[in-house]
Amino acid sequence: MRDTRRWRTRSATPEDVLALLRAKLAHDAALDASVEEDPPLDFETPLSHWEAALDAGFRDFWLGWKPLAAWLQSWLYVEVPPHALDAALRAHRAPTMGHLCEFLAPRLRLPVLEPLRVAGTSCLTAGAFITLRTALLGAGLPVARARPSTPLSFQSWQQLATFQDVVGLLSPRALPRVEIPSTPFRRASLGLFVLALVSTAAGYRLGSMPLFVGGMSALLGVIIAAWLRPGPAPGTARFPGVTTLGDVARLLAASDSTR
């Protein structure tokens, strides 16, 4: 299982590109509170709405849509000519997701998972695992010695984000949404923050200085405690029903988008 062959690819369609963009948005939202959770996203959605959902600045006053080309190249590992993309989107008064998907589709090729022959039999899951490991290695993740039984483990949030991006490019719908457990401290902090906010507002409206000062003091204390207290570690992140790289390979093998 140390094969590092590249995979066969197929031409992408605008529908494929839209699925990739949707998956990217969902994965980013799970890790970044500033990214909108689940906005409607179809071919008619204005690019500006998608840009706002990602909390990104893809359009520059002087450079036009060229920053978007750089972002797409780094994420999709595909050549996106900045001038061509800028010209294509500027040709429309209000560019939409459909315009972007139509531009990207002819330039993008997607992997096709193929079975691997193991002990005289053909196994699609084994082929999916080889492809997955090769893609993760190419993205810089430390999986050179990984086996199907290797548990999912992330040493940094960047590793987790990269893992989600790689699997999303192999199959946008294969990976379930990541779950990051909330600690009791964080839940208590949220409750205290709301209580302190209500006390501050009530003290201000009622003209009660003790209530107002007490609320402000509590607000400040919660903010300082949250700042000093570390958040959950990336190692606590879990994908429901997925614990090993082999599990991910099985999801990829079962996905229609990789066959």
Side-chain angles (χ1 to χ4, degrees):
M1 300 290 281
R2 297 299 177 90
D3 188 7
T4 57
R5 64 193 173 117
R6 301 301 294 178
W7 45 82
R8 184 167 62 88
T9 61
R10 64 174 177 85
S11 299
T13 65
E15 289 75 16
D16 290 326
V17 177
L18 184 64
L20 289 173
L21 294 170
R22 283 172 171 164
K24 173 67 171 171
L25 187 63
H27 291 162
D28 285 1
L31 301 180
D32 187 348
S34 64
V35 177
E36 191 174 341
E37 177 90 20
D38 189 22
L41 202 64
D42 55 35
F43 288 136
E44 302 303 319
T45 303
L47 274 184
S48 57
H49 290 186
W50 169 65
E51 184 182 18
L54 272 174
D55 193 31
F58 290 143
R59 189 172 189 178
D60 183 82
F61 180 79
W62 299 105
L63 299 175
W65 291 101
K66 292 177 184 178
L68 174 59
W71 182 84
L72 291 170
Q73 288 186 157
S74 64
W75 169 49
L76 294 174
Y77 305 102
V78 65
E79 185 67 27
V80 182
H83 293 283
L85 176 63
D86 187 54
L89 296 182
R90 282 178 183 265
H92 306 280
R93 183 175 182 181
T96 65
M97 298 300 296
H99 296 135
L100 176 61
C101 293
E102 289 172 4
F103 176 86
L104 284 176
R107 294 168 169 80
L108 181 63
R109 297 193 63 83
L110 299 178
V112 177
L113 299 188
E114 296 181 302
L116 183 70
R117 292 192 65 81
V118 179
T121 62
S122 184
C123 181
L124 182 58
T125 300
F129 175 76
I130 293 296
T131 302
L132 172 64
R133 189 173 63 182
T134 302
L136 293 174
L137 278 171
L141 295 183
V143 295
R145 298 179 178 274
R147 297 175 177 273
S149 59
T150 299
L152 296 182
S153 178
F154 307 102
Q155 304 304 314
S156 68
W157 293 113
Q158 183 56 52
Q159 280 191 359
L160 174 56
T162 300
F163 174 81
Q164 290 194 135
D165 281 349
V166 169
V167 178
L169 290 175
L170 292 175
S171 176
R173 293 174 288 273
L175 199 63
R177 179 183 172 85
V178 67
E179 294 181 351
I180 303 171
S182 178
T183 63
F185 172 80
R186 289 173 66 87
R187 291 193 292 269
S189 295
L190 180 60
L192 290 174
F193 180 82
V194 172
L195 181 61
L197 193 61
V198 170
S199 298
T200 302
Y204 177 79
R205 293 293 298 273
L206 298 175
S208 173
M209 186 58 66
L211 187 60
F212 178 78
V213 172
M216 286 295 294
S217 299
L219 272 177
L220 183 60
V222 171
I223 292 172
I224 293 175
W227 181 64
L228 294 176
R229 179 92 175 187
T236 63
R238 296 289 182 270
F239 294 94
V242 183
T243 59
T244 67
L245 286 177
D247 292 335
V248 180
R250 281 187 283 275
L251 291 176
L252 290 173
S255 174
D256 292 335
S257 62
T258 54
R259 289 178 287 170

